[in-house]
Amino acid sequence: MVDMSYKRVFGEMNEFEFNAYDEDNHSIVTFCRIFTNGSDSKIYQCMFTTFFEVYEDLTGEKPSFYHFNSEKKGWAAIIVDLDKGQAKGLSLALNSLCNSISAEQHLLYILKSCSVHFERNVRNSKYSDESKFLMRQLLKAKTKDDVDFIFEQLETIGDEKIHDWITEYQTPWILASLNHNYSLMDYDIWMTTPFDTNVSECSHANVNREGTRLRLKTAIFQRFHNYQKYNIPMSSKNKSGTKRKIDANKRKEYPNSKITKQKAEKMELKELNE
């Protein structure tokens, strides 16, 4: 599953993560982190393509996806959060790997949208409670006729701008990512893969414990505490929890003395590496 984190880096930079849950070891695995200052379809296409290229460089094999692999092996589902730019970027990147089907058809085979994000969008909308109740049934509808009935009932209620909502959620890839009746994904895969991006959210929470609103360089290298190895000085303000603890300890140890910037940086690097 993939998701964008907006808290880790200070300023316009955000962190795009590729995550999965390792059932054998009961742990979250983060395959890749990409830092970006954009989120349109072209940027997402670039990030997905870059991830595929890095995967090939590391493994010596091209990324394999279940729906276009002759042996039915490879990644079978990607869970996203209903971001249109993200979905389009993914479809274009997949199309560069396999152009025997259209870019949008790739999404019908592999995409699932996070039910939590869908529920949040419904809850925060300005539609009536009656309409919201029907919207939530979209995920549970057992047949295409049931889905059609939901849209018909929403039209009948006639909330302001409800037609815009119906038009959006009748978009083939969106509808297919929320209800299996419209998806081309194998039913067993649909039922055995996650229905939300909670793994990614947990990954964000775990890494954010090390600090938020960080400098870009700090966010990249902090987990490994390799500032000395990469010769990257802590030259600008770091607001992470770790940095605040270091500063507090310095104030306790040297309450009445002045510490030169160079000496403070050396002390900081030493403490981070301990």
Side-chain angles (χ1 to χ4, degrees), residues 224-237:
F224 308 101
H225 294 172
N226 280 339
Y227 293 100
Q228 288 177 315
K229 178 178 178 181
Y230 290 94
N231 195 30
I232 298 175
M234 296 282 289
S235 57
S236 61
K237 193 169 184 180

Side-chain angles (χ1 to χ4, degrees), residues 210-228:
E210 299 172 2
T212 57
R213 296 173 61 79
L214 303 176
R215 292 185 305 121
L216 178 60
K217 290 187 291 186
T218 304
I220 293 172
F221 294 107
Q222 185 189 51
R223 300 205 76 185
F224 308 101
H225 294 172
N226 280 339
Y227 293 100
Q228 288 177 315

Side-chain angles (χ1 to χ4, degrees), residues 9 11 15 29 39 51-52 66-67 74 77 85 87-88 102 112 147 163 181 183 191 198 208 218 220 222 238-239 270:
V9 183
E15 185 178 33
V29 178
S39 58
F51 173 65
F52 296 157
Y66 182 90
H67 69 280
K88 184 175 181 180
S102 69
K112 291 177 71 175
V147 173
H163 184 71
N181 292 290
S183 175
M191 294 304 297
N198 285 351
N208 284 347
T218 304
I220 293 172
Q222 185 189 51
N238 176 358
K239 299 181 180 180
K270 182 179 179 181

Side-chain angles (χ1 to χ4, degrees), residues 59-115:
T59 65
E61 299 178 356
K62 287 186 177 294
S64 178
F65 289 86
Y66 182 90
H67 69 280
F68 62 75
N69 182 285
S70 59
E71 298 179 359
K72 294 299 180 183
K73 295 180 180 180
W75 291 316
I78 297 177
I79 297 86
V80 298
D81 60 4
L82 285 170
D83 185 299
K84 294 179 181 178
Q86 193 178 100
K88 184 175 181 180
L90 172 61
S91 71
L92 294 172
L94 289 172
N95 199 235
S96 68
L97 295 176
C98 172
N99 59 11
S100 61
I101 58 177
S102 69
E104 186 166 312
Q105 279 182 304
H106 279 290
L107 301 183
L108 303 184
Y109 279 101
I110 199 166
L111 207 66
K112 291 177 71 175
S113 287
C114 175
S115 60

Side-chain angles (χ1 to χ4, degrees), residues 1 18-21 29-33 51 58 75:
M1 56 197 68
F18 296 75
N19 301 299
Y21 184 72
V29 178
T30 299
F31 298 107
C32 181
R33 302 177 190 274
F51 173 65
L58 293 175
W75 291 316

Side-chain angles (χ1 to χ4, degrees), residues 10-182:
F10 179 78
E12 297 180 355
M13 299 297 292
N14 297 311
E15 185 178 33
F16 188 51
E17 289 186 352
F18 296 75
N19 301 299
Y21 184 72
D22 183 349
E23 294 185 357
D24 293 333
N25 296 303
H26 303 289
S27 62
I28 298 170
V29 178
T30 299
F31 298 107
C32 181
R33 302 177 190 274
I34 298 177
F35 294 90
T36 177
N37 62 350
S39 58
D40 60 27
S41 59
K42 289 185 178 180
I43 289 177
Y44 274 116
Q45 179 186 5
C46 180
M47 289 192 288
F48 280 113
T49 300
T50 299
F51 173 65
F52 296 157
E53 290 172 351
V54 170
Y55 176 90
E56 184 175 358
D57 288 342
L58 293 175
T59 65
E61 299 178 356
K62 287 186 177 294
S64 178
F65 289 86
Y66 182 90
H67 69 280
F68 62 75
N69 182 285
S70 59
E71 298 179 359
K72 294 299 180 183
K73 295 180 180 180
W75 291 316
I78 297 177
I79 297 86
V80 298
D81 60 4
L82 285 170
D83 185 299
K84 294 179 181 178
Q86 193 178 100
K88 184 175 181 180
L90 172 61
S91 71
L92 294 172
L94 289 172
N95 199 235
S96 68
L97 295 176
C98 172
N99 59 11
S100 61
I101 58 177
S102 69
E104 186 166 312
Q105 279 182 304
H106 279 290
L107 301 183
L108 303 184
Y109 279 101
I110 199 166
L111 207 66
K112 291 177 71 175
S113 287
C114 175
S115 60
V116 176
H117 281 82
F118 174 78
E119 164 62 29
R120 186 183 304 150
N121 290 346
V122 171
R123 184 176 65 248
N124 294 335
S125 69
K126 297 181 179 180
Y127 301 111
S128 65
D129 290 342
E130 187 178 4
S131 291
K132 289 180 180 180
F133 174 80
L134 285 169
M135 291 171 179
R136 293 186 178 99
Q137 305 314 304
L138 189 62
L139 303 181
K140 305 174 184 178
K142 295 182 178 180
T143 67
K144 289 185 177 181
D145 287 341
D146 290 342
V147 173
D148 290 340
F149 180 75
I150 290 170
F151 288 132
E152 289 171 4
Q153 290 300 303
L154 286 170
E155 287 276 19
T156 301
I157 294 171
D159 284 352
E160 185 179 358
K161 295 185 178 180
I162 192 65
H163 184 71
D164 294 340
W165 190 93
I166 293 172
T167 300
E168 178 177 356
Y169 282 90
Q170 283 181 332
T171 303
W173 75 262
I174 294 179
L175 192 54
S177 71
L178 292 169
N179 188 290
H180 180 260
N181 292 290
Y182 293 86

